[in-house]
Amino acid sequence: MELWFTEKHTANVGFSIKVDKQLYSARSEFQRIDIFESPEFGRFLTLDGYMMLTEKDEFVYHEMIVHVPMCVNQKAGDVLVIGGGDGGAVRELLKYPGLRHIDLCEIDEQVVEACREYLPQTAGRLDDARVSLHFEDGLRFVRGCEDAYDLIIVDSTDPFGPGEGLFTKEFYGNCYKALHEDGIMVNQHESPFYEKDAYAMQRAHKRIVESFPVSRVYQAHIPTYPSGHWLFGYAAKQRQPVEGVDFVGWKQLGLATKYYNTQLHAGAFALPNYVEAMLKDVEAHA
Amino acid sequence: MPFLSQEQAPVLEALERMKRARLVPFDVPGHKRGRGNPDLTEFLGQRCLDVDVNSMKMLDNLCHPVSVIKDAEALAAEAFGAAHAFFMVGGTTSAVQAMVLSAVGRGDKIIMPRNVHRSAINALILCGAIPVYVNPEMDETLGISLGMSVAQVQKAIAENPDAKAVLINNPTYYGICSDIKRITELAHAHGMKVLADEAHGTHFAFHEKLPMSAMEAGADMAALSMHKSGGSLTQSSLLLCGPDMNVGYVHQIINITQTTSGSYLLMSSLDISRRRLALHGHEIFDKVIQLVEYAREEINALGDFYAYSRELVNGDSIFDFDITKLSVFTRPVGLAGIEVYDILRDEYDIQTEFGDIANILAYVSVGDREKDLERLVAALAEIRRNYRKDSSKMLKAEYIDPVVKLGPQEAFYAQKESLPLEETAGRVCSEFVMCYPPGIPILAPGELITDEILQYIRYAKKKGCQMTGPEDMSIRQLNVVK
């Protein structure tokens, strides 16, 4: 018997992982949640059939969504994570000794419960005293915050499911309001490669450019996401993501990372020409 | 008549039987279940084209219902507490017109508030009846016209004892209700029929927290937009009659202008929606009320914006308020409603129902999700943060008392000339001018054009309201009576 998980990356492209067994399956108020065990990628989490993380490559995503902004502002004390119920971003953030407090706002409590039980690799630090969990709509949560955070990490699903509201101009604008004067927002920014993802990527970029004075995009290689080529958005009120960043200071923190390093940080903002062209296209209309 | 219950949907069931019968169609429509028009079938879907069929024995006939349409109409009448119900496939416009044409004829007077929908005055062009306008009071802060006060109706009746009917908005687009019960008693005591434009009140019959429906109040006819809060397809409506109407005559009136090829898509949507409302209406509107109350609270907590509700009720011109309406007063933000409407659509991808000089209306239904309301609230918060400006120079909408010089029919068909807008002051208008939506005329045929009205038209145009009505679609010229 062979059991395979397949995610359709487009109508014509499938991505399959051989599965040993299914560990968890449930339908929450918001989405279908599944956790599988696989020989190649270890355990992996899918929401509505879309790959969220695997034990083998989640380090790429979580290190890149956390260490890039944390290197830019190493003194960041108050952080809001929106989405991120798997706990991976929180785990990386807690490596910083200066971090005071993390609010994690995840709409689906059941995702957190499932990850706590089956994915301790990412969810293992959610009980840290510096972490407060909020189970509510991210858009609603951030609306009530003003001048409250150094960093907001938008660790969302795709803009086609419950994460829809987290790709809107009103959301980015509310994040702007929720940040301190030198605040930074990073977000999961989809992929430039396949048409549907690329369209979502362009829309998100346009909305962020309209909301923040500094808006850049950086990339990482994530094998289990569509095309493997994934983008993150970096937006800030003042701080540039590379110029003037204290890379030496970050190295002195002596944090152990598997993907991220400071040369890669600078290089990640160098994008392929076709991606630059797509970004310029929407910047011109913003 | 066989036993009928609200669980049934006779038109739907007949269509299912027709599909099973696998008829060979040598009748219209010519697309023949979509086979003759594959592009259309691809776009709308086979299931849709399968039931886009013509009247036939097993499906009854809207012009002369004797079987399944008759049964479906009887069930609708029962669900809405009416003596009789007509399925209407020309929108609520056709229902309002049928109502007016059934109640008044040439030269008859009909008492109505000036903030009626254009369809009511259009009916007067058709039949030659004369409007007697009751000044709906105006809320000076919000700049919206309200309901009719009982005293004003009483005065209109005393001055026009020969009037044949009274028309009431139940509610207005903004959700405001007159005291329909007392007005109905008053009108009936003077032998006048009571007609209710209930385009925005289809849901009233299904929840105790909502205002009284026209049928419950004893009105003689009511025109309901099932396609608004009732959930049916666009253009499908109901015309309800009370026990004192001559149903056969109303039917004749409807058949003067209604199509003889009534759409089964529209009729089945009426039938299915009626069943849904009858069986689940209460829980549906419970959910809507809860969504709107939540949004209202959150919007009011933002500051400046004012999402109004029952607190406006004054026992007379605002006798009741439909709490499912999410109307938001925008002027304190320094923006006209139409400006907020445009920003929401252009910058935030949010389409609201309409914006006027000082308000927007977000139409909320059972199809909405909490997260969509979160988007609306968040976007309004952002608009306030990014666009807020001084509001002292904004035009306050005031009720402009119309001076009726001629009846609508006489003015519309009179010898007329086209003049540049600026040169029309002092002349009698022969056409409509209105912002659409909401479609309430600023000028109606037969009314005197004044400087005040021209100023309002210029302001509404400048703020970006979509102006409609005149023959000249750019609204630079107006037709006036020679």
Side-chain angles (χ1 to χ4, degrees):
Chain A
M1 179 196 85
E2 289 198 353
L3 186 58
W4 291 78
F5 163 85
T6 299
E7 178 184 334
K8 280 186 153 185
H9 285 179
T10 76
N12 310 305
V13 177
F15 176 80
S16 298
I17 297 180
K18 193 172 177 192
V19 170
D20 273 342
K21 58 180 173 182
Q22 186 167 22
L23 300 174
Y24 178 89
S25 185
R27 177 165 286 284
S28 74
E29 189 190 340
F30 305 97
Q31 55 206 339
R32 178 176 169 161
I33 307 166
D34 292 283
I35 298 175
F36 302 93
E37 176 91 50
S38 72
E40 194 69 50
F41 285 93
R43 292 180 175 187
F44 64 93
L45 165 72
T46 66
L47 297 178
D48 285 336
Y50 293 104
M51 177 63 75
M52 291 298 122
L53 64 88
T54 77
E55 286 182 327
K56 191 177 170 76
D57 71 351
E58 58 84 10
F59 70 97
V60 183
Y61 180 89
H62 291 126
E63 288 187 13
M64 286 303 277
I65 207 167
V66 168
H67 298 301
V68 170
M70 286 303 289
C71 176
V72 176
N73 180 8
Q74 291 159 31
K75 294 203 176 67
D78 294 301
V79 180
L80 168 62
V81 179
I82 293 176
D86 55 65
V90 165
R91 179 194 65 203
E92 293 302 312
L93 283 165
L94 289 172
K95 290 179 177 170
Y96 291 84
L99 197 105
R100 271 191 304 276
H101 189 76
I102 303 170
D103 281 314
L104 178 85
C105 178
E106 161 65 55
I107 196 166
D108 196 344
E109 186 168 5
Q110 229 169 306
V111 168
V112 174
E113 282 168 12
C115 293
R116 276 190 156 133
E117 179 148 10
Y118 295 100
L119 289 166
Q121 179 179 317
T122 54
R125 300 294 307 277
L126 286 173
D127 294 323
D128 191 282
R130 288 173 284 174
V131 181
S132 304
L133 301 180
H134 309 269
F135 298 109
E136 59 177 291
D137 184 309
L139 185 52
R140 177 180 159 72
F141 184 87
V142 79
R143 180 153 54 78
C145 309
E146 195 160 352
D147 192 16
Y149 297 103
D150 298 302
L151 169 63
I152 297 177
I153 293 176
V154 187
D155 181 2
S156 67
T157 54
D158 297 327
F160 320 112
E164 204 177 307
L166 306 184
F167 285 82
T168 60
K169 185 173 174 178
E170 54 273 25
F171 173 68
Y172 298 131
N174 277 310
C175 285
Y176 182 95
K177 177 172 67 90
L179 285 168
H180 293 317
E181 219 178 348
D182 63 345
I184 299 170
M185 177 187 85
V186 291
N187 67 306
Q188 186 280 101
H189 209 74
E190 300 288 302
S191 164
F193 193 73
Y194 293 122
E195 196 182 334
K196 192 176 166 202
D197 304 324
Y199 179 68
M201 181 281 280
Q202 282 187 298
R203 270 178 80 90
H205 186 62
K206 178 169 188 284
R207 291 324 197 181
I208 296 172
V209 169
E210 287 165 348
S211 307
F212 283 85
V214 178
S215 173
R216 299 278 302 274
V217 169
Y218 62 101
Q219 62 184 354
H221 173 235
I222 301 174
T224 55
Y225 281 4
S227 85
H229 182 196
W230 212 254
L231 301 179
F232 297 92
Y234 173 98
K237 293 190 177 182
Q238 294 166 5
R239 292 173 184 267
Q240 293 294 331
V242 180
E243 302 83 45
V245 172
D246 180 13
F247 289 120
V248 176
W250 191 84
K251 281 188 208 159
Q252 284 166 352
L253 290 172
L255 304 182
T257 50
K258 203 165 156 187
Y259 188 86
Y260 178 85
N261 60 52
T262 52
Q263 293 95 315
L264 186 123
H265 175 134
F269 286 88
L271 300 172
N273 284 350
Y274 83 98
V275 180
E276 285 288 2
M278 288 167 111
L279 297 175
K280 288 232 165 59
D281 184 42
V282 293
E283 283 166 12
H285 296 101
Chain B
M1 192 166 81
F3 175 74
L4 283 173
S5 80
Q6 292 293 334
E7 278 84 11
Q8 289 174 278
V11 173
L12 168 70
E13 289 153 19
L15 285 167
E16 298 285 5
R17 283 195 296 274
M18 185 245 2
K19 282 204 283 186
R20 282 198 298 275
R22 302 182 67 83
L23 298 174
V24 180
F26 281 108
D27 64 349
V28 291
H31 63 64
K32 304 283 171 115
R33 315 295 191 260
R35 286 190 299 275
N37 195 343
D39 296 347
L40 183 66
T41 310
E42 162 74 21
F43 180 65
L44 290 179
Q46 185 63 51
R47 292 164 69 100
C48 187
L49 273 293
D50 273 344
V51 293
D52 184 45
V53 291
N54 197 24
S55 293
M56 60 179 82
K57 190 168 181 213
M58 67 199 312
L59 295 180
D60 207 357
N61 186 334
L62 183 63
C63 299
H64 186 77
V66 294
S67 60
V68 293
I69 295 175
K70 185 172 175 233
D71 290 349
E73 288 182 335
L75 285 169
E78 183 188 64
F80 285 88
H84 190 84
F86 292 100
F87 278 16
M88 305 295 290
V89 295
T92 309
T93 287
S94 71
V96 168
Q97 290 176 356
M99 200 162 72
V100 172
L101 299 182
S102 302
V104 290
R106 171 162 299 168
D108 288 345
K109 288 182 186 166
I110 176 167
I111 295 169
M112 55 170 74
R114 181 55 176 68
N115 56 334
V116 287
H117 187 256
R118 62 181 294 183
S119 56
I121 302 175
N122 271 330
L124 304 185
I125 292 178
L126 292 177
C127 72
I130 306 298
V132 174
Y133 289 123
V134 171
N135 177 352
E137 314 222 328
M138 194 91 184
D139 185 296
E140 287 190 7
T141 315
L142 303 177
I144 59 174
S145 43
L146 309 173
M148 294 187 288
S149 77
V150 174
Q152 292 265 16
V153 176
Q154 207 154 18
K155 183 165 158 267
I157 289 177
E159 286 167 7
N160 302 276
D162 53 340
K164 290 280 181 4
V166 177
L167 190 143
I168 307 175
N169 292 317
N170 193 48
T172 67
Y173 218 143
Y174 303 84
I176 287 163
C177 294
S178 308
D179 186 349
I180 189 168
K181 192 154 201 293
R182 277 187 62 203
I183 292 172
T184 299
E185 287 162 4
L186 201 60
H188 283 170
H190 291 83
M192 300 176 191
K193 295 285 188 215
V194 175
L195 321 178
D197 180 348
E198 218 161 36
H200 304 285
T202 302
H203 47 301
F204 285 3
F206 299 96
H207 205 289
E208 71 283 352
K209 286 186 183 166
L210 298 174
M212 182 182 281
S213 74
M215 283 298 121
E216 194 187 344
D220 296 289
M221 281 189 275
L224 278 71
S225 291
M226 274 292 272
H227 64 90
K228 293 195 175 95
S229 52
S232 66
L233 290 177
T234 297
Q235 220 172 298
S236 62
S237 296
L238 288 175
L239 176 59
L240 305 180
C241 292
D244 296 330
M245 289 307 297
N246 177 344
V247 169
Y249 178 67
V250 175
H251 200 178
Q252 280 184 325
I253 294 280
I254 291 171
N255 277 339
I256 292 174
T257 50
Q258 181 147 282
T259 174
T260 53
S261 312
S263 160
Y264 278 88
L265 296 174
L266 297 180
M267 287 189 276
S268 60
S269 86
L270 282 170
D271 200 23
I272 294 166
S273 308
R274 180 274 312 154
R275 179 173 70 179
R276 209 174 135 66
L277 289 179
L279 300 179
H280 308 291
H282 195 271
E283 62 187 280
I284 286 173
F285 296 112
D286 247 358
K287 167 93 190 303
V288 176
I289 289 169
Q290 177 217 322
L291 283 172
V292 176
E293 294 286 18
Y294 169 75
R296 202 158 16 231
E297 238 169 73
E298 296 290 312
I299 290 168
N300 286 334
L302 298 175
D304 296 326
F305 287 112
Y306 174 31
Y308 38 94
S309 183
R310 281 247 162 86
E311 70 278 2
L312 296 180
V313 168
N314 61 16
D316 196 10
S317 60
I318 310 176
F319 183 75
D320 205 348
F321 183 82
D322 172 10
I323 53 175
T324 70
K325 297 284 190 292
L326 185 55
S327 313
V328 184
F329 179 53
T330 63
R331 190 162 354 96
V333 189
L335 295 170
I338 184 70
E339 291 174 305
V340 174
Y341 169 92
D342 283 339
I343 296 169
L344 281 170
R345 187 197 53 234
D346 295 344
E347 301 295 323
Y348 297 96
D349 302 321
I350 294 172
Q351 177 67 50
T352 50
E353 176 75 7
F354 73 84
D356 67 10
I357 296 290
N359 302 269
I360 58 163
L361 177 73
Y363 200 86
V364 181
S365 84
V366 69
D368 287 303
R369 303 168 297 182
E370 277 161 37
K371 64 179 180 181
D372 297 322
L373 285 159
E374 289 299 345
R375 286 194 56 183
L376 177 66
V377 177
L380 289 175
E382 281 296 290
I383 289 173
R384 178 175 178 267
R385 186 171 72 85
N386 294 317
Y387 297 87
R388 193 173 190 282
K389 56 187 182 206
D390 176 32
S391 63
S392 59
K393 289 220 179 74
M394 299 182 68
L395 183 76
K396 285 195 178 175
E398 276 160 26
Y399 179 71
I400 304 173
D401 213 355
V403 182
V404 180
K405 291 287 189 188
L406 295 171
Q409 187 184 53
E410 197 185 344
F412 185 80
Y413 288 108
Q415 288 286 324
K416 54 202 162 196
E417 59 182 329
S418 175
L419 287 182
L421 193 62
E422 304 308 320
E423 296 168 24
T424 56
R427 303 292 295 265
V428 175
C429 195
S430 76
E431 55 192 359
F432 285 105
V433 182
M434 70 201 100
C435 300
Y436 198 93
I440 292 159
I442 299 165
L443 273 170
E447 291 178 3
L448 186 69
I449 303 168
T450 64
D451 288 326
E452 198 185 7
I453 290 171
L454 292 176
Q455 189 202 348
Y456 185 89
I457 293 173
R458 278 193 300 270
Y459 185 80
K461 270 173 82 174
K462 194 178 106 205
K463 288 292 177 187
C465 290
Q466 196 191 335
M467 309 290 288
T468 65
E471 201 175 300
D472 172 23
M473 291 179 70
S474 64
I475 330 277
R476 282 192 283 267
Q477 301 275 120
L478 266 189
N479 285 340
V480 297
V481 176
K482 259 189 177 166

